Amino acid sequence: MDITRLLKAANDGHEDAMEQLAPLVYDELRWLAHRQMQQEYAPRTLSTTGLVHEVYLKLLDGEELPAENRRHFFAAAARAMRQIMVSEARRRGAEKRGGNAVHLTLDASSVSIAELSTEILALDQALDRLENVDSRLAQIVECRFFGGLTVDETSIAVSASARTVKRDWRLARAWLFRELNGAASEPA
């Protein structure tokens, strides 16, 4: 049985569907979380397994599992990873730095651990603003940055061509760069 059918059956109350669904999505969620945790911007207080469990519990905590289809489920998982990482950054009680601009390139190799909490929180606020401007751009950032999805995986998740995802990814990064640097340099 495929993931979409199992998601729908689980939402219809079939307990055996949940039992069949768990190992199918767990392996893929674990793979995504493993990729996410290998990045320097990943929270150091979560393990791959811990992140997967948090995502799975967050998805199960809703009234229904995202059951439109497989891509919808994994897009929701990427959003859940974002929310978990932001919650983790807030939990650590990071303090904002002085009036310097926040330099976030959305390149995983360039974000230092010391700046993690401030940058994740600033990015989360900027993503909320971007979502009001263009929800697909925000979803692409969630998939690529927080979900660790490739361009092809993101194109499936947002129902757009890989070329469109590449273009929108560049646009979203530029928008966020301006937003984050503009917000950091404005007087409080």
Side-chain angles (χ1 to χ4, degrees), residues 130-168:
L130 178 58
E131 191 163 24
N132 290 329
V133 173
D134 189 323
S135 62
R136 184 173 71 194
L137 292 181
Q139 189 177 16
I140 288 170
V141 173
E142 286 177 347
C143 290
R144 299 276 292 139
F145 188 72
F146 289 98
L149 301 180
T150 65
V151 169
D152 291 334
E153 292 165 337
T154 302
S155 71
I156 293 167
V158 300
S159 299
S161 70
R163 184 176 179 180
T164 298
V165 167
K166 286 179 188 176
R167 183 194 67 229
D168 287 354

Side-chain angles (χ1 to χ4, degrees), residues 84-111:
I84 290 164
M85 290 178 67
V86 168
S87 293
E88 187 65 18
R90 284 188 180 125
R91 187 189 68 74
R92 286 183 292 177
E95 294 179 5
K96 283 193 164 188
R97 296 189 171 186
N100 294 339
V102 176
H103 298 287
L104 183 63
T105 64
L106 297 185
D107 175 11
S109 64
S110 67
V111 179

Side-chain angles (χ1 to χ4, degrees), residues 5 9 67 95 98 180 188:
R5 287 189 194 141
E95 294 179 5
L180 289 169

Side-chain angles (χ1 to χ4, degrees), residues 48-134:
T48 299
T49 302
L51 183 56
V52 170
H53 290 174
E54 291 288 329
V55 167
Y56 200 69
L57 289 172
K58 189 166 191 67
L59 293 174
L60 289 175
D61 196 33
E63 292 179 19
E64 289 188 352
L65 286 170
E68 184 178 315
N69 54 39
R70 182 183 181 283
R71 73 167 175 76
H72 186 243
F73 177 83
F74 285 104
R79 177 170 278 246
M81 282 187 192
R82 168 191 170 191
Q83 293 167 343
I84 290 164
M85 290 178 67
V86 168
S87 293
E88 187 65 18
R90 284 188 180 125
R91 187 189 68 74
R92 286 183 292 177
E95 294 179 5
K96 283 193 164 188
R97 296 189 171 186
N100 294 339
V102 176
H103 298 287
L104 183 63
T105 64
L106 297 185
D107 175 11
S109 64
S110 67
V111 179
S112 72
I113 295 170
E115 298 170 341
L116 172 66
S117 295
T118 301
E119 290 183 354
I120 292 290
L121 293 174
L123 177 59
D124 181 57
Q125 293 168 353
L127 271 174
D128 288 343
R129 292 187 298 271
L130 178 58
E131 191 163 24
N132 290 329
V133 173
D134 189 323

Side-chain angles (χ1 to χ4, degrees), residues 20-34:
Q20 293 174 27
L21 178 66
L24 293 177
V25 297
Y26 185 86
D27 288 341
E28 194 156 348
L29 286 174
R30 185 161 172 71
W31 178 77
L32 289 171
H34 177 73

